[in-house]
Amino acid sequence: MKSMASLASVLLILALCACRGVAPHTPPVFDTTQVEQRLAEGMPPPVGGTTTATTPVATAPLRVDPSEAAGVADLPTTITQLYTEEPIDLPLADVVRQTLDNNRSIRIEGYTLRIAEYEIPVSRGIYDLLLFARTQFDRTESPADVDGADDLESRSRLGQFGVSQLLPTGAVISAGYAMARATREFIDFTPAGDISRTGTHTHVADLELRQPLLRGFGPAVTNAGIRVAQIQHEGAAANFHARLEQTLARAISTYWELLGAIEIYQVRIINYAAARDLLRINQRRLETGVGVRIDVLQAEAAAEARREQLIVARRNIRELEDQLKRLIFLDESHPLWSAQIRPTQPFTWSNLEVDLDQTIELALAERPELRAARTGIELGDVDVTVARNRMLPALDLFARTESRGIDDDFTDAAGGAFGADYTGYSVGLEFSYPLQNRAARYRHAQAEVGRERAVEGFRDTQDQVVFEVRRAVRNLMTARERILVTEAQLRAETGKLQDEQRRYEVGVTTAFQILTFQEDLAFAESQHLNAVIDYNIAQVELDRARGTLLRTFGVEVVEPELAPRHQAPLFPVGWD
């Protein structure tokens, strides 16, 4: 019994030493040192799943510098000047960095992941040593058996403490020590009839064990909560990875849209300048008597319509700037929120050859959404295991041993408890089972259906991933074909307008035809620019669809781990 008391003391010391603080939450940390290199390489996809030729293709020969176009120099600066102040140059690499560091949705998902991580030690709390203590005082009065004597009274004081520990088998073992003192007044049946007082000290040291043998038996059931917390942490990490890729893809796509909107704005300037230039020519022709008023009115109407297109194009640029700022900056209180942005990424595209089957295979292995869906099946397995165990009868083994010391003196009573003066033990079995057992049976049925639902959800996610990959590959191939088609169309429209202008100079055609050809050229230029932008966005979406966007841009997630692996709970489960 001395060893039992020593064990209780050691457990108490360990329990007190385990009371420590929790490390503060740290935001996610990313290594983006390779982003510039990956951009310089044309963002080749990671090895495995695709073959690629990523030679940047410049589109400069098909773009017209507004400063060299006829009539642009005569336009007011309120039309040609896009920025009202010195803009901030923003390379694509900075968009990647600032999105990862500042985006709120990423931070929120990071908090969610850390909460799931903290849930693991919470679930391990079932193995925390339980310290318990109790103190009690009782007083009871009873009438005396002799006439004229005062009422008699008895008093008792109880002090008890101990520790309790859960074991992986489902057993609960507890060690305790109790001290009691009972005092009692009684009538001394002598001729004097005096009332006497006596007191007794009782000390008891005990060790008790209760072990489930059927329901609640074994580590699979005992550690079910820990396993659930670990699986949910894996799912939260997968969701965090998915949010990273989705948000980064949206930021990069918005950057390309902004770059395309600026290019289209330049086209609108050229188109507006051409209408103004034609208006001046027609006005001179009317003044000299060789022109007609309808040509002037047509050119004037076209110029105003194209000016309205310029206003809309500028508004689109400002809106895209705000969208991009919302993604890369924290909020509108950021000092750079009111600044204007000038993208510095070269306006090029890289020809990418993709094997559809290999890309689908890569996506099925890499997409974080599939990892998240797979955790649903694992949670279903745990639920089925626990529910199956709960259908069993409750059969518990219980055992108890104690050492008792009783004496009028406190010290002698304690010595008797530690010296095993009076010992005892008990052992037995306890059985219970509800005859219908409906709750357990239907809980098990629910768990089975829940797992089947998780399997179907996983298959549905697989189908969605395959669909997104096929759509991304199709959009990439379509955009590349559009680039080639619009390039040929742009060359044809340029030549057509040049020929028509020469015919107009000799009076063979009309100003209306010139305006129509100008609109056709502007439309062809916009279509070609949109095709290039759509192709670059399709590349980004393809990387997101196969789950490799971070690797493509050379982003390493330092903290937190995106694919944490659970560890089997050991006993005792740490003191963190």
Side-chain angles (χ1 to χ4, degrees):
M1 303 310 291
K2 291 182 179 180
S3 61
M4 184 176 65
S6 300
L7 175 62
S9 300
V10 171
L11 293 177
L12 176 59
I13 294 173
L14 289 176
L16 295 176
C17 292
C19 299
R20 304 188 309 176
V22 178
H25 167 71
T26 56
V29 179
F30 307 98
D31 181 3
T32 57
T33 56
Q34 300 182 12
V35 174
E36 281 90 352
Q37 179 182 353
R38 300 294 286 179
L39 289 172
E41 294 171 354
M43 293 185 300
V47 177
T50 60
T51 57
T52 178
T54 56
T55 304
V57 180
T59 59
L62 301 178
R63 297 161 63 203
V64 180
D65 187 350
S67 62
E68 299 177 359
V72 172
D74 298 331
L75 295 178
T77 56
T78 56
I79 296 296
T80 59
Q81 187 176 359
L82 177 60
Y83 303 105
T84 57
E85 57 188 32
E86 184 62 26
I88 296 177
D89 290 339
L90 183 65
L92 184 54
D94 285 353
V95 171
V96 174
R97 291 194 188 93
Q98 295 189 46
T99 300
L100 295 175
D101 292 340
N102 299 332
N103 183 266
R104 280 201 185 278
S105 63
I106 293 178
R107 287 195 172 189
I108 292 172
E109 202 67 37
Y111 283 115
T112 303
L113 176 56
R114 184 51 61 94
I115 291 173
E117 180 183 346
Y118 285 159
E119 186 63 26
I120 296 177
V122 168
S123 64
R124 290 175 176 170
I126 60 173
Y127 288 115
D128 288 350
L129 270 176
L130 176 62
L131 173 65
F132 59 88
R134 177 187 177 191
T135 181
Q136 181 176 337
F137 173 77
D138 294 314
R139 179 180 178 273
T140 304
E141 291 185 350
S142 59
D145 295 335
V146 179
D147 294 339
D150 294 334
D151 292 339
L152 304 181
E153 70 174 16
S154 60
R155 299 182 181 184
S156 65
R157 297 172 178 83
L158 173 66
Q160 183 182 14
F161 68 90
V163 290
S164 176
Q165 175 67 64
L166 174 68
L167 302 180
T169 60
V172 177
I173 183 172
S174 59
Y177 191 83
M179 301 169 291
R181 172 173 170 77
T183 61
R184 184 169 63 91
E185 292 183 350
F186 62 93
I187 298 175
D188 186 3
F189 290 97
T190 63
D194 296 333
I195 298 178
S196 302
R197 179 180 289 106
T198 182
T200 303
H201 290 275
T202 302
H203 287 224
V204 180
D206 68 89
L207 182 65
E208 187 173 350
L209 171 71
R210 176 174 285 270
Q211 171 63 65
L213 300 180
L214 293 176
R215 186 193 304 166
F217 173 77
V221 177
T222 307
N223 297 329
I226 299 176
R227 182 75 180 101
V228 167
Q230 292 172 335
I231 294 173
Q232 290 176 339
H233 180 226
E234 294 175 13
N239 290 333
F240 179 74
H241 186 183
R243 179 56 59 91
L244 281 179
E245 299 232 340
Q246 293 167 2
T247 306
L248 186 59
R250 189 163 66 250
I252 296 172
S253 298
T254 304
Y255 182 88
W256 279 111
E257 290 175 2
L258 175 60
L259 185 58
I262 293 173
E263 294 292 334
I264 291 177
Y265 181 78
Q266 305 298 335
V267 172
R268 300 298 184 199
I269 291 178
I270 297 172
N271 199 30
Y272 175 62
R276 290 289 300 268
D277 186 60
L278 182 62
L279 175 60
R280 286 192 297 269
I281 294 174
N282 289 337
Q283 286 175 338
R284 294 194 193 102
R285 291 166 62 92
L286 180 61
E287 292 171 357
T288 56
V290 296
V292 293
R293 181 172 175 77
I294 187 62
D295 290 343
V296 175
L297 295 177
Q298 286 177 342
E300 185 177 3
E304 293 304 316
R306 294 175 189 182
R307 184 176 180 181
E308 189 267 341
Q309 292 176 350
L310 265 175
I311 296 172
V312 173
R314 179 179 292 175
R315 182 206 62 188
N316 293 339
I317 292 173
R318 299 284 94 89
E319 288 184 352
L320 287 169
E321 281 182 345
D322 286 349
Q323 292 178 23
L324 186 58
K325 291 172 186 177
R326 188 71 181 87
L327 291 166
I328 66 178
F329 296 140
L330 287 175
D331 50 36
E332 295 186 8
S333 64
H334 196 283
L336 297 180
W337 177 259
S338 59
Q340 295 175 341
I341 296 175
R342 180 168 56 200
T344 60
Q345 180 70 16
F347 194 82
T348 59
W349 62 283
S350 299
N351 187 27
L352 178 64
E353 300 294 337
V354 180
D355 184 284
L356 178 59
D357 293 335
Q358 291 180 353
T359 303
I360 291 176
E361 182 180 353
L362 179 63
L364 293 177
E366 297 292 337
R367 279 290 290 271
E369 290 87 350
L370 287 173
R371 295 204 307 271
R374 194 176 292 112
T375 60
I377 300 176
E378 296 176 0
L379 289 173
D381 291 336
V382 175
D383 290 341
V384 169
T385 300
V386 174
R388 184 183 297 118
N389 178 267
R390 288 176 177 170
M391 290 194 300
L392 298 175
L395 180 62
D396 295 351
L397 169 68
F398 60 88
R400 185 177 187 275
T401 180
E402 68 173 31
S403 175
R404 184 181 297 267
I406 304 175
D407 201 279
D408 292 342
D409 182 73
F410 179 90
T411 304
D412 292 340
F418 285 99
D421 288 352
Y422 305 98
T423 60
Y425 67 88
S426 61
V427 63
L429 292 173
E430 185 177 302
F431 175 85
S432 66
Y433 183 73
L435 291 180
Q436 295 162 294
N437 205 21
R438 285 176 291 190
R441 288 189 292 112
Y442 282 97
R443 288 296 184 192
H444 180 259
Q446 283 181 334
E448 291 280 3
V449 173
R451 187 188 182 283
E452 293 176 5
R453 180 180 62 180
V455 171
E456 288 298 323
F458 177 76
R459 292 172 179 168
D460 181 67
T461 304
Q462 281 185 318
D463 295 342
Q464 181 66 25
V465 167
V466 173
F467 168 76
E468 290 180 4
V469 169
R470 294 175 65 89
R471 181 178 60 184
V473 172
R474 187 183 306 113
N475 288 342
L476 185 73
M477 297 174 62
T478 301
R480 180 173 57 193
E481 293 176 357
R482 286 175 53 210
I483 290 175
L484 300 179
V485 170
T486 56
E487 180 179 342
Q489 179 186 5
L490 181 55
R491 296 185 190 280
E493 292 293 348
T494 302
K496 187 176 69 173
L497 178 59
Q498 291 173 349
D499 290 346
E500 195 68 13
Q501 286 174 336
R502 285 192 290 269
R503 296 181 62 200
Y504 182 73
E505 292 173 356
V506 297
V508 178
T509 188
T510 64
F512 177 78
Q513 198 68 17
I514 292 292
L515 292 171
T516 301
F517 285 3
Q518 287 176 351
E519 285 293 335
D520 292 343
L521 176 59
F523 179 77
E525 289 175 332
S526 300
Q527 289 294 94
H528 182 67
L529 293 173
N530 286 328
V532 174
I533 296 301
D534 290 346
Y535 184 86
N536 286 315
I537 293 176
Q539 276 196 346
V540 174
E541 181 57 28
L542 176 61
D543 273 318
R544 190 207 63 80
R546 62 189 176 191
T548 58
L549 185 64
L550 296 180
R551 281 194 289 162
T552 296
F553 279 85
V555 176
E556 294 288 340
V557 181
V558 179
E559 169 70 24
E561 187 178 358
L562 294 182
R565 295 292 180 264
H566 71 274
Q567 297 178 352
L570 303 176
F571 181 79
V573 186
W575 299 98
D576 54 335

